[in-house]
Amino acid sequence: MATGASQYENILISRPDPGVELITLNRPKALNALNSALFIELNEALKKADEDANVGTIVITGSDKAFAGTFVVCVFRVPGS
């Protein structure tokens, strides 16, 4: 499996086969719960893979026990609304 150096903290990128980009959600302690940082990294990685003429397939998977837990949402209420 070919693996390059990753600039990401929440995902891992690899090329297990020619033309295949494997994106692994990598927050195992949080059961790969989706948060803003992960979404930003995932969107960036997907955009790069989509623009790469050598990528024909993108596979998204989760590390350890879970594909993805929950989405971490912070809601702030404005007083008087």
Side-chain angles (χ1 to χ4, degrees):
M1 173 180 1
T3 304
S6 177
Q7 70 268 20
Y8 303 111
E9 294 182 27
N10 297 291
I11 61 175
L12 302 173
I13 307 292
S14 63
R15 295 268 174 98
D17 290 306
V20 177
E21 177 111 334
L22 178 64
I23 301 174
T24 304
L25 307 182
N26 191 37
R27 297 187 66 223
K29 290 181 183 176
L31 295 176
N32 298 318
L34 306 174
N35 64 10
S36 296
L38 189 144
F39 267 122
I40 289 168
E41 291 180 7
L42 183 58
N43 282 328
E44 182 180 319
L46 288 169
K47 182 177 179 186
K48 286 181 180 180
D50 186 49
E51 293 171 349
D52 187 337
N54 295 315
V55 174
T57 303
I58 302 169
V59 178
I60 302 173
T61 188
S63 62
D64 284 350
K65 299 177 186 178
F67 171 72
T70 60
F71 179 63
V72 179
V73 179
C74 295
V75 177
F76 297 94
R77 185 175 185 146
V78 177
S81 64

